[in-house]
Amino acid sequence: DGGITQSPKYLFRKEGQNVTLSCEQNLNHDAMYWYRQDPGQGLRLIYYSQIVNDFQKGDIAEGYSVSREKKESFPLTVTSAQKNPTAFYLCASRREGASANYGYTFGSGTRLTVV
Amino acid sequence: EDKVVQSPLSLVVHEGDTVTLNCSYEVTNFRSLLWYKQEKKAPTFLFMLTSSGIEKKSGRLSSILDKKELFSILNITATQTGDSAVYLCAGGNYGGSQGNLIFGKGTKLSVKP
């Protein structure tokens, strides 16, 4: 079955550490996205990538970095520069030209907690 | 700046009640309005609305878009405890370098037995 896999589901980080969240899709989608969700908030866009080896900053990119070396993979690194990283992180991919559902598929998310 | 505003932010009702969730949007090159249900993990797609005035229905849920007033509503009739979730509204724009969704903050619905 095709889909998006995020790992790990839960992640604990000490202050000052960098951590990398994994997002892999086998849907052959060109575009991939990273969102952050805080309690009582909607989804805020961190980074997105429309094509391999290219990515763009979203609304809250500071303290985060990404790479897109393969079509299937879009890992997100939360750096020590991110002052308040505790949140729920969702990865999504999108099929260009999709009419139904806007082509979006979401992963099941990673909950990051700073301890 | 593009934005999507949902109201109310939270709502508590009893089983059997009917609820209406609101979503207003200002999205450049607007294409579609989407509704999602989120119960702890990934959002689940409910509706995508592109044309004004055409109601979409799925069981007890229905939604409609007003492109003149830049507004959409999501109705849930005869609510059940399983409807408890955060409902997200998102505006989608036309492609090019975008093709992204702009999300509102969500409405947290709690349905009491």
PDB file of all heavy atoms in Angstrom, chain B residues 47-83:
ATOM      1  N   PHE B  47     -14.087  17.244   3.016  1.00  0.00           N
ATOM      2  CA  PHE B  47     -14.667  17.844   1.819  1.00  0.00           C
ATOM      3  C   PHE B  47     -13.667  18.771   1.142  1.00  0.00           C
ATOM      4  O   PHE B  47     -12.827  19.374   1.796  1.00  0.00           O
ATOM      5  CB  PHE B  47     -15.897  18.712   2.172  1.00  0.00           C
ATOM      6  CG  PHE B  47     -17.031  17.978   2.789  1.00  0.00           C
ATOM      7  CD1 PHE B  47     -17.352  18.181   4.126  1.00  0.00           C
ATOM      8  CD2 PHE B  47     -17.805  17.105   2.043  1.00  0.00           C
ATOM      9  CE1 PHE B  47     -18.413  17.513   4.709  1.00  0.00           C
ATOM     10  CE2 PHE B  47     -18.864  16.427   2.619  1.00  0.00           C
ATOM     11  CZ  PHE B  47     -19.168  16.630   3.956  1.00  0.00           C
ATOM     12  N   MET B  48     -13.815  18.886  -0.162  1.00  0.00           N
ATOM     13  CA  MET B  48     -13.160  19.940  -0.909  1.00  0.00           C
ATOM     14  C   MET B  48     -14.224  20.686  -1.690  1.00  0.00           C
ATOM     15  O   MET B  48     -15.018  20.063  -2.400  1.00  0.00           O
ATOM     16  CB  MET B  48     -12.104  19.394  -1.874  1.00  0.00           C
ATOM     17  CG  MET B  48     -11.335  20.488  -2.579  1.00  0.00           C
ATOM     18  SD  MET B  48      -9.955  19.893  -3.556  1.00  0.00           S
ATOM     19  CE  MET B  48     -10.774  19.437  -5.072  1.00  0.00           C
ATOM     20  N   LEU B  49     -14.276  22.007  -1.521  1.00  0.00           N
ATOM     21  CA  LEU B  49     -15.295  22.844  -2.141  1.00  0.00           C
ATOM     22  C   LEU B  49     -14.611  23.806  -3.094  1.00  0.00           C
ATOM     23  O   LEU B  49     -13.705  24.535  -2.697  1.00  0.00           O
ATOM     24  CB  LEU B  49     -16.051  23.628  -1.062  1.00  0.00           C
ATOM     25  CG  LEU B  49     -16.676  22.761   0.023  1.00  0.00           C
ATOM     26  CD1 LEU B  49     -16.832  23.546   1.304  1.00  0.00           C
ATOM     27  CD2 LEU B  49     -18.028  22.248  -0.432  1.00  0.00           C
ATOM     28  N   THR B  50     -15.085  23.801  -4.319  1.00  0.00           N
ATOM     29  CA  THR B  50     -14.496  24.678  -5.319  1.00  0.00           C
ATOM     30  C   THR B  50     -15.532  25.648  -5.881  1.00  0.00           C
ATOM     31  O   THR B  50     -15.204  26.787  -6.233  1.00  0.00           O
ATOM     32  CB  THR B  50     -13.883  23.842  -6.459  1.00  0.00           C
ATOM     33  OG1 THR B  50     -12.932  22.924  -5.903  1.00  0.00           O
ATOM     34  CG2 THR B  50     -13.172  24.707  -7.463  1.00  0.00           C
ATOM     35  N   SER B  51     -16.772  25.204  -5.955  1.00  0.00           N
ATOM     36  CA  SER B  51     -17.830  26.036  -6.527  1.00  0.00           C
ATOM     37  C   SER B  51     -18.721  26.602  -5.439  1.00  0.00           C
ATOM     38  O   SER B  51     -19.007  25.935  -4.437  1.00  0.00           O
ATOM     39  CB  SER B  51     -18.673  25.209  -7.495  1.00  0.00           C
ATOM     40  OG  SER B  51     -17.871  24.706  -8.542  1.00  0.00           O
ATOM     41  N   SER B  52     -19.192  27.806  -5.672  1.00  0.00           N
ATOM     42  CA  SER B  52     -20.025  28.490  -4.697  1.00  0.00           C
ATOM     43  C   SER B  52     -21.442  27.937  -4.732  1.00  0.00           C
ATOM     44  O   SER B  52     -21.988  27.669  -5.801  1.00  0.00           O
ATOM     45  CB  SER B  52     -20.051  29.978  -5.044  1.00  0.00           C
ATOM     46  OG  SER B  52     -20.213  30.776  -3.922  1.00  0.00           O
ATOM     47  N   GLY B  53     -22.052  27.792  -3.545  1.00  0.00           N
ATOM     48  CA  GLY B  53     -23.463  27.453  -3.464  1.00  0.00           C
ATOM     49  C   GLY B  53     -23.818  25.994  -3.642  1.00  0.00           C
ATOM     50  O   GLY B  53     -24.991  25.627  -3.561  1.00  0.00           O
ATOM     51  N   ILE B  54     -22.865  25.151  -3.884  1.00  0.00           N
ATOM     52  CA  ILE B  54     -23.158  23.728  -4.073  1.00  0.00           C
ATOM     53  C   ILE B  54     -22.808  22.984  -2.795  1.00  0.00           C
ATOM     54  O   ILE B  54     -21.652  22.934  -2.387  1.00  0.00           O
ATOM     55  CB  ILE B  54     -22.357  23.156  -5.255  1.00  0.00           C
ATOM     56  CG1 ILE B  54     -22.746  23.885  -6.535  1.00  0.00           C
ATOM     57  CG2 ILE B  54     -22.600  21.647  -5.386  1.00  0.00           C
ATOM     58  CD1 ILE B  54     -21.929  23.497  -7.734  1.00  0.00           C
ATOM     59  N   GLU B  55     -23.841  22.400  -2.169  1.00  0.00           N
ATOM     60  CA  GLU B  55     -23.619  21.712  -0.904  1.00  0.00           C
ATOM     61  C   GLU B  55     -23.050  20.325  -1.156  1.00  0.00           C
ATOM     62  O   GLU B  55     -23.500  19.585  -2.033  1.00  0.00           O
ATOM     63  CB  GLU B  55     -24.940  21.578  -0.140  1.00  0.00           C
ATOM     64  CG  GLU B  55     -24.773  20.975   1.240  1.00  0.00           C
ATOM     65  CD  GLU B  55     -26.104  20.809   1.967  1.00  0.00           C
ATOM     66  OE1 GLU B  55     -27.043  20.250   1.372  1.00  0.00           O
ATOM     67  OE2 GLU B  55     -26.195  21.244   3.145  1.00  0.00           O
ATOM     68  N   LYS B  56     -22.055  19.996  -0.347  1.00  0.00           N
ATOM     69  CA  LYS B  56     -21.522  18.639  -0.382  1.00  0.00           C
ATOM     70  C   LYS B  56     -21.946  17.934   0.899  1.00  0.00           C
ATOM     71  O   LYS B  56     -21.930  18.529   1.984  1.00  0.00           O
ATOM     72  CB  LYS B  56     -20.003  18.652  -0.507  1.00  0.00           C
ATOM     73  CG  LYS B  56     -19.517  19.157  -1.854  1.00  0.00           C
ATOM     74  CD  LYS B  56     -18.184  18.569  -2.212  1.00  0.00           C
ATOM     75  CE  LYS B  56     -17.820  18.898  -3.645  1.00  0.00           C
ATOM     76  NZ  LYS B  56     -16.545  18.291  -4.064  1.00  0.00           N
ATOM     77  N   LYS B  57     -22.362  16.673   0.760  1.00  0.00           N
ATOM     78  CA  LYS B  57     -22.858  15.917   1.915  1.00  0.00           C
ATOM     79  C   LYS B  57     -22.172  14.572   2.025  1.00  0.00           C
ATOM     80  O   LYS B  57     -21.861  13.934   1.014  1.00  0.00           O
ATOM     81  CB  LYS B  57     -24.369  15.703   1.800  1.00  0.00           C
ATOM     82  CG  LYS B  57     -25.204  16.950   1.859  1.00  0.00           C
ATOM     83  CD  LYS B  57     -26.673  16.635   2.088  1.00  0.00           C
ATOM     84  CE  LYS B  57     -26.907  16.140   3.502  1.00  0.00           C
ATOM     85  NZ  LYS B  57     -28.365  16.026   3.833  1.00  0.00           N
ATOM     86  N   SER B  58     -21.981  14.186   3.283  1.00  0.00           N
ATOM     87  CA  SER B  58     -21.472  12.853   3.557  1.00  0.00           C
ATOM     88  C   SER B  58     -22.079  12.418   4.882  1.00  0.00           C
ATOM     89  O   SER B  58     -21.626  12.831   5.950  1.00  0.00           O
ATOM     90  CB  SER B  58     -19.950  12.847   3.635  1.00  0.00           C
ATOM     91  OG  SER B  58     -19.465  11.560   3.979  1.00  0.00           O
ATOM     92  N   GLY B  59     -23.142  11.630   4.800  1.00  0.00           N
ATOM     93  CA  GLY B  59     -23.823  11.190   6.019  1.00  0.00           C
ATOM     94  C   GLY B  59     -24.424  12.368   6.754  1.00  0.00           C
ATOM     95  O   GLY B  59     -25.202  13.136   6.193  1.00  0.00           O
ATOM     96  N   ARG B  60     -23.999  12.552   8.000  1.00  0.00           N
ATOM     97  CA  ARG B  60     -24.540  13.640   8.823  1.00  0.00           C
ATOM     98  C   ARG B  60     -23.763  14.942   8.635  1.00  0.00           C
ATOM     99  O   ARG B  60     -24.111  15.956   9.233  1.00  0.00           O
ATOM    100  CB  ARG B  60     -24.488  13.214  10.288  1.00  0.00           C
ATOM    101  CG  ARG B  60     -25.384  12.030  10.621  1.00  0.00           C
ATOM    102  CD  ARG B  60     -25.226  11.568  12.067  1.00  0.00           C
ATOM    103  NE  ARG B  60     -23.909  11.023  12.326  1.00  0.00           N
ATOM    104  CZ  ARG B  60     -22.937  11.695  12.958  1.00  0.00           C
ATOM    105  NH1 ARG B  60     -23.156  12.934  13.403  1.00  0.00           N
ATOM    106  NH2 ARG B  60     -21.763  11.132  13.162  1.00  0.00           N
ATOM    107  N   LEU B  61     -22.724  14.921   7.840  1.00  0.00           N
ATOM    108  CA  LEU B  61     -21.909  16.110   7.615  1.00  0.00           C
ATOM    109  C   LEU B  61     -22.247  16.739   6.276  1.00  0.00           C
ATOM    110  O   LEU B  61     -22.506  16.036   5.286  1.00  0.00           O
ATOM    111  CB  LEU B  61     -20.426  15.746   7.623  1.00  0.00           C
ATOM    112  CG  LEU B  61     -19.718  15.633   8.968  1.00  0.00           C
ATOM    113  CD1 LEU B  61     -20.257  14.473   9.801  1.00  0.00           C
ATOM    114  CD2 LEU B  61     -18.221  15.505   8.782  1.00  0.00           C
ATOM    115  N   SER B  62     -22.251  18.060   6.252  1.00  0.00           N
ATOM    116  CA  SER B  62     -22.443  18.770   4.997  1.00  0.00           C
ATOM    117  C   SER B  62     -21.660  20.067   5.049  1.00  0.00           C
ATOM    118  O   SER B  62     -21.359  20.595   6.130  1.00  0.00           O
ATOM    119  CB  SER B  62     -23.932  19.042   4.742  1.00  0.00           C
ATOM    120  OG  SER B  62     -24.447  19.900   5.738  1.00  0.00           O
ATOM    121  N   SER B  63     -21.355  20.600   3.881  1.00  0.00           N
ATOM    122  CA  SER B  63     -20.568  21.826   3.821  1.00  0.00           C
ATOM    123  C   SER B  63     -20.924  22.590   2.560  1.00  0.00           C
ATOM    124  O   SER B  63     -21.336  22.008   1.548  1.00  0.00           O
ATOM    125  CB  SER B  63     -19.074  21.493   3.828  1.00  0.00           C
ATOM    126  OG  SER B  63     -18.299  22.677   3.870  1.00  0.00           O
ATOM    127  N   ILE B  64     -20.762  23.905   2.650  1.00  0.00           N
ATOM    128  CA  ILE B  64     -21.060  24.752   1.513  1.00  0.00           C
ATOM    129  C   ILE B  64     -20.081  25.923   1.494  1.00  0.00           C
ATOM    130  O   ILE B  64     -19.544  26.312   2.537  1.00  0.00           O
ATOM    131  CB  ILE B  64     -22.528  25.234   1.564  1.00  0.00           C
ATOM    132  CG1 ILE B  64     -22.982  25.778   0.214  1.00  0.00           C
ATOM    133  CG2 ILE B  64     -22.721  26.254   2.678  1.00  0.00           C
ATOM    134  CD1 ILE B  64     -24.493  25.865   0.084  1.00  0.00           C
ATOM    135  N   LEU B  65     -19.853  26.444   0.310  1.00  0.00           N
ATOM    136  CA  LEU B  65     -18.890  27.527   0.114  1.00  0.00           C
ATOM    137  C   LEU B  65     -19.595  28.754  -0.473  1.00  0.00           C
ATOM    138  O   LEU B  65     -20.443  28.610  -1.363  1.00  0.00           O
ATOM    139  CB  LEU B  65     -17.784  27.059  -0.845  1.00  0.00           C
ATOM    140  CG  LEU B  65     -16.723  28.070  -1.272  1.00  0.00           C
ATOM    141  CD1 LEU B  65     -15.833  28.463  -0.097  1.00  0.00           C
ATOM    142  CD2 LEU B  65     -15.880  27.495  -2.407  1.00  0.00           C
ATOM    143  N   ASP B  66     -19.247  29.918   0.018  1.00  0.00           N
ATOM    144  CA  ASP B  66     -19.748  31.176  -0.527  1.00  0.00           C
ATOM    145  C   ASP B  66     -18.535  31.995  -0.971  1.00  0.00           C
ATOM    146  O   ASP B  66     -17.861  32.605  -0.160  1.00  0.00           O
ATOM    147  CB  ASP B  66     -20.555  31.925   0.543  1.00  0.00           C
ATOM    148  CG  ASP B  66     -21.205  33.195   0.007  1.00  0.00           C
ATOM    149  OD1 ASP B  66     -20.689  33.777  -0.975  1.00  0.00           O
ATOM    150  OD2 ASP B  66     -22.219  33.628   0.576  1.00  0.00           O
ATOM    151  N   LYS B  67     -18.267  31.996  -2.264  1.00  0.00           N
ATOM    152  CA  LYS B  67     -17.057  32.653  -2.774  1.00  0.00           C
ATOM    153  C   LYS B  67     -17.208  34.159  -2.838  1.00  0.00           C
ATOM    154  O   LYS B  67     -16.218  34.880  -2.935  1.00  0.00           O
ATOM    155  CB  LYS B  67     -16.692  32.090  -4.144  1.00  0.00           C
ATOM    156  CG  LYS B  67     -16.252  30.637  -4.082  1.00  0.00           C
ATOM    157  CD  LYS B  67     -16.097  30.020  -5.440  1.00  0.00           C
ATOM    158  CE  LYS B  67     -14.818  30.424  -6.111  1.00  0.00           C
ATOM    159  NZ  LYS B  67     -14.590  29.672  -7.350  1.00  0.00           N
ATOM    160  N   LYS B  68     -18.439  34.647  -2.749  1.00  0.00           N
ATOM    161  CA  LYS B  68     -18.642  36.091  -2.727  1.00  0.00           C
ATOM    162  C   LYS B  68     -18.295  36.652  -1.347  1.00  0.00           C
ATOM    163  O   LYS B  68     -17.619  37.663  -1.218  1.00  0.00           O
ATOM    164  CB  LYS B  68     -20.091  36.419  -3.079  1.00  0.00           C
ATOM    165  CG  LYS B  68     -20.384  37.918  -3.121  1.00  0.00           C
ATOM    166  CD  LYS B  68     -21.833  38.176  -3.488  1.00  0.00           C
ATOM    167  CE  LYS B  68     -22.132  39.668  -3.447  1.00  0.00           C
ATOM    168  NZ  LYS B  68     -23.575  39.945  -3.712  1.00  0.00           N
ATOM    169  N   GLU B  69     -18.760  35.934  -0.318  1.00  0.00           N
ATOM    170  CA  GLU B  69     -18.502  36.361   1.057  1.00  0.00           C
ATOM    171  C   GLU B  69     -17.219  35.765   1.615  1.00  0.00           C
ATOM    172  O   GLU B  69     -16.849  36.061   2.748  1.00  0.00           O
ATOM    173  CB  GLU B  69     -19.685  35.975   1.956  1.00  0.00           C
ATOM    174  CG  GLU B  69     -21.000  36.600   1.553  1.00  0.00           C
ATOM    175  CD  GLU B  69     -20.962  38.121   1.674  1.00  0.00           C
ATOM    176  OE1 GLU B  69     -20.239  38.641   2.556  1.00  0.00           O
ATOM    177  OE2 GLU B  69     -21.644  38.796   0.876  1.00  0.00           O
ATOM    178  N   LEU B  70     -16.532  34.916   0.861  1.00  0.00           N
ATOM    179  CA  LEU B  70     -15.277  34.270   1.293  1.00  0.00           C
ATOM    180  C   LEU B  70     -15.504  33.502   2.582  1.00  0.00           C
ATOM    181  O   LEU B  70     -14.809  33.683   3.586  1.00  0.00           O
ATOM    182  CB  LEU B  70     -14.167  35.303   1.460  1.00  0.00           C
ATOM    183  CG  LEU B  70     -13.926  36.244   0.286  1.00  0.00           C
ATOM    184  CD1 LEU B  70     -12.731  37.150   0.594  1.00  0.00           C
ATOM    185  CD2 LEU B  70     -13.711  35.496  -0.992  1.00  0.00           C
ATOM    186  N   PHE B  71     -16.465  32.592   2.522  1.00  0.00           N
ATOM    187  CA  PHE B  71     -16.939  31.944   3.742  1.00  0.00           C
ATOM    188  C   PHE B  71     -17.373  30.519   3.440  1.00  0.00           C
ATOM    189  O   PHE B  71     -17.892  30.233   2.358  1.00  0.00           O
ATOM    190  CB  PHE B  71     -18.140  32.744   4.269  1.00  0.00           C
ATOM    191  CG  PHE B  71     -18.497  32.477   5.685  1.00  0.00           C
ATOM    192  CD1 PHE B  71     -17.805  33.071   6.721  1.00  0.00           C
ATOM    193  CD2 PHE B  71     -19.558  31.632   5.983  1.00  0.00           C
ATOM    194  CE1 PHE B  71     -18.152  32.827   8.037  1.00  0.00           C
ATOM    195  CE2 PHE B  71     -19.911  31.381   7.292  1.00  0.00           C
ATOM    196  CZ  PHE B  71     -19.212  31.984   8.323  1.00  0.00           C
ATOM    197  N   SER B  72     -17.167  29.657   4.425  1.00  0.00           N
ATOM    198  CA  SER B  72     -17.668  28.295   4.319  1.00  0.00           C
ATOM    199  C   SER B  72     -18.172  27.847   5.682  1.00  0.00           C
ATOM    200  O   SER B  72     -17.703  28.327   6.720  1.00  0.00           O
ATOM    201  CB  SER B  72     -16.563  27.341   3.857  1.00  0.00           C
ATOM    202  OG  SER B  72     -17.009  25.993   3.851  1.00  0.00           O
ATOM    203  N   ILE B  73     -19.152  26.935   5.678  1.00  0.00           N
ATOM    204  CA  ILE B  73     -19.612  26.343   6.925  1.00  0.00           C
ATOM    205  C   ILE B  73     -19.597  24.828   6.809  1.00  0.00           C
ATOM    206  O   ILE B  73     -19.730  24.264   5.717  1.00  0.00           O
ATOM    207  CB  ILE B  73     -21.035  26.808   7.309  1.00  0.00           C
ATOM    208  CG1 ILE B  73     -22.042  26.432   6.231  1.00  0.00           C
ATOM    209  CG2 ILE B  73     -21.069  28.292   7.596  1.00  0.00           C
ATOM    210  CD1 ILE B  73     -23.483  26.677   6.653  1.00  0.00           C
ATOM    211  N   LEU B  74     -19.406  24.207   7.962  1.00  0.00           N
ATOM    212  CA  LEU B  74     -19.485  22.757   8.073  1.00  0.00           C
ATOM    213  C   LEU B  74     -20.581  22.453   9.075  1.00  0.00           C
ATOM    214  O   LEU B  74     -20.525  22.924  10.217  1.00  0.00           O
ATOM    215  CB  LEU B  74     -18.158  22.166   8.548  1.00  0.00           C
ATOM    216  CG  LEU B  74     -18.136  20.663   8.826  1.00  0.00           C
ATOM    217  CD1 LEU B  74     -18.291  19.867   7.542  1.00  0.00           C
ATOM    218  CD2 LEU B  74     -16.834  20.264   9.541  1.00  0.00           C
ATOM    219  N   ASN B  75     -21.596  21.729   8.650  1.00  0.00           N
ATOM    220  CA  ASN B  75     -22.696  21.342   9.529  1.00  0.00           C
ATOM    221  C   ASN B  75     -22.593  19.885   9.919  1.00  0.00           C
ATOM    222  O   ASN B  75     -22.270  19.030   9.075  1.00  0.00           O
ATOM    223  CB  ASN B  75     -24.036  21.547   8.810  1.00  0.00           C
ATOM    224  CG  ASN B  75     -24.493  22.977   8.847  1.00  0.00           C
ATOM    225  OD1 ASN B  75     -24.327  23.664   9.847  1.00  0.00           O
ATOM    226  ND2 ASN B  75     -25.066  23.440   7.759  1.00  0.00           N
ATOM    227  N   ILE B  76     -22.862  19.612  11.173  1.00  0.00           N
ATOM    228  CA  ILE B  76     -22.945  18.230  11.640  1.00  0.00           C
ATOM    229  C   ILE B  76     -24.281  18.085  12.362  1.00  0.00           C
ATOM    230  O   ILE B  76     -24.536  18.772  13.355  1.00  0.00           O
ATOM    231  CB  ILE B  76     -21.804  17.861  12.609  1.00  0.00           C
ATOM    232  CG1 ILE B  76     -20.444  18.210  11.996  1.00  0.00           C
ATOM    233  CG2 ILE B  76     -21.865  16.364  12.944  1.00  0.00           C
ATOM    234  CD1 ILE B  76     -19.273  17.988  12.951  1.00  0.00           C
ATOM    235  N   THR B  77     -25.135  17.215  11.849  1.00  0.00           N
ATOM    236  CA  THR B  77     -26.435  16.995  12.481  1.00  0.00           C
ATOM    237  C   THR B  77     -26.378  15.755  13.354  1.00  0.00           C
ATOM    238  O   THR B  77     -25.531  14.877  13.165  1.00  0.00           O
ATOM    239  CB  THR B  77     -27.525  16.815  11.421  1.00  0.00           C
ATOM    240  OG1 THR B  77     -27.186  15.682  10.602  1.00  0.00           O
ATOM    241  CG2 THR B  77     -27.650  18.052  10.539  1.00  0.00           C
ATOM    242  N   ALA B  78     -27.293  15.697  14.324  1.00  0.00           N
ATOM    243  CA  ALA B  78     -27.401  14.535  15.218  1.00  0.00           C
ATOM    244  C   ALA B  78     -26.028  14.088  15.705  1.00  0.00           C
ATOM    245  O   ALA B  78     -25.620  12.927  15.516  1.00  0.00           O
ATOM    246  CB  ALA B  78     -28.117  13.394  14.501  1.00  0.00           C
ATOM    247  N   THR B  79     -25.300  15.005  16.328  1.00  0.00           N
ATOM    248  CA  THR B  79     -23.912  14.721  16.717  1.00  0.00           C
ATOM    249  C   THR B  79     -23.806  13.484  17.602  1.00  0.00           C
ATOM    250  O   THR B  79     -24.701  13.164  18.389  1.00  0.00           O
ATOM    251  CB  THR B  79     -23.292  15.913  17.444  1.00  0.00           C
ATOM    252  OG1 THR B  79     -24.157  16.314  18.518  1.00  0.00           O
ATOM    253  CG2 THR B  79     -23.056  17.073  16.512  1.00  0.00           C
ATOM    254  N   GLN B  80     -22.654  12.816  17.482  1.00  0.00           N
ATOM    255  CA  GLN B  80     -22.338  11.631  18.279  1.00  0.00           C
ATOM    256  C   GLN B  80     -20.994  11.869  18.966  1.00  0.00           C
ATOM    257  O   GLN B  80     -20.209  12.717  18.517  1.00  0.00           O
ATOM    258  CB  GLN B  80     -22.256  10.405  17.367  1.00  0.00           C
ATOM    259  CG  GLN B  80     -23.522  10.139  16.587  1.00  0.00           C
ATOM    260  CD  GLN B  80     -23.337   9.050  15.543  1.00  0.00           C
ATOM    261  OE1 GLN B  80     -22.247   8.519  15.348  1.00  0.00           O
ATOM    262  NE2 GLN B  80     -24.427   8.712  14.860  1.00  0.00           N
ATOM    263  N   THR B  81     -20.715  11.090  20.004  1.00  0.00           N
ATOM    264  CA  THR B  81     -19.441  11.284  20.725  1.00  0.00           C
ATOM    265  C   THR B  81     -18.257  11.070  19.797  1.00  0.00           C
ATOM    266  O   THR B  81     -17.202  11.673  19.970  1.00  0.00           O
ATOM    267  CB  THR B  81     -19.335  10.344  21.929  1.00  0.00           C
ATOM    268  OG1 THR B  81     -19.526   8.995  21.494  1.00  0.00           O
ATOM    269  CG2 THR B  81     -20.391  10.683  22.981  1.00  0.00           C
ATOM    270  N   GLY B  82     -18.426  10.242  18.785  1.00  0.00           N
ATOM    271  CA  GLY B  82     -17.353   9.997  17.826  1.00  0.00           C
ATOM    272  C   GLY B  82     -17.047  11.186  16.920  1.00  0.00           C
ATOM    273  O   GLY B  82     -16.047  11.179  16.202  1.00  0.00           O
ATOM    274  N   ASP B  83     -17.898  12.204  16.986  1.00  0.00           N
ATOM    275  CA  ASP B  83     -17.632  13.425  16.217  1.00  0.00           C
ATOM    276  C   ASP B  83     -16.654  14.339  16.949  1.00  0.00           C
ATOM    277  O   ASP B  83     -16.196  15.338  16.380  1.00  0.00           O
ATOM    278  CB  ASP B  83     -18.930  14.186  15.956  1.00  0.00           C
ATOM    279  CG  ASP B  83     -19.889  13.424  15.061  1.00  0.00           C
ATOM    280  OD1 ASP B  83     -19.418  12.691  14.176  1.00  0.00           O
ATOM    281  OD2 ASP B  83     -21.117  13.562  15.266  1.00  0.00           O
TER     282      ASP B  83
END
